[in-house]
Amino acid sequence: MYYRNAPADPEHPLPEQLKDLVMHASIMIDGTQVMISDVPPERGLELTSGNNIASVIQAKSDAEIEPLYHALSSDGKIVAPLEATFWAKKMSLLITNSVFNGSLTYQQHFTAF
């Protein structure tokens, strides 16, 4: 989905430069859902290789998320450590020095209340 495909909001018109950026895309890699989006400059990030796309990897289990977390966090910045949140059994925000800018989540069978 591109930003131009979102419903129009007259109070917050979409800048022309955002219309062809990806707002949301999702692919399956070996049974794991990976979501990606462009990160527009309006979010306050200086564009450098690796930070212009945000990713979400939706793990299916603890056994899947733990090695992903350790591998991706070993060469980057941990913005939020891997831990339980009110919306996920486990979640982490990471910025790596290589190819990943985004979050890891594991939500299966998680009930917040």
Side-chain angles (χ1 to χ4, degrees):
M1 170 183 220
Y2 293 97
Y3 279 89
R4 69 172 174 263
N5 300 122
D9 180 353
E11 292 184 34
H12 301 95
L14 184 65
E16 194 64 35
Q17 68 271 19
L18 296 185
K19 291 184 178 180
D20 290 329
L21 295 180
V22 175
M23 177 183 273
H24 173 76
S26 178
I27 58 174
M28 296 296 284
I29 299 175
D30 197 25
T32 298
Q33 184 178 25
V34 177
M35 295 175 277
I36 57 174
S37 67
D38 286 317
V39 178
E42 288 76 9
R43 291 219 182 140
L45 293 175
E46 182 180 331
L47 179 61
T48 58
S49 179
N51 80 347
N52 59 321
I53 295 176
S55 308
V56 176
I57 297 176
Q58 177 65 51
K60 297 181 298 263
S61 66
D62 281 326
E64 182 179 32
I65 200 168
E66 291 285 341
L68 282 170
Y69 174 74
H70 292 294
L72 291 170
S73 64
S74 68
D75 76 337
K77 176 181 175 186
I78 298 171
V79 179
L82 187 63
E83 61 188 3
T85 66
F86 69 89
W87 70 86
K89 186 172 179 180
K90 289 192 175 179
M91 182 271 185
S92 174
L93 291 173
L94 303 165
I95 300 172
T96 72
N97 295 329
S98 53
V99 297
F100 187 79
N101 174 26
S103 64
L104 300 173
T105 61
Y106 167 41
Q107 302 182 101
Q108 188 171 358
H109 305 298
F110 179 76
T111 304
F113 304 99

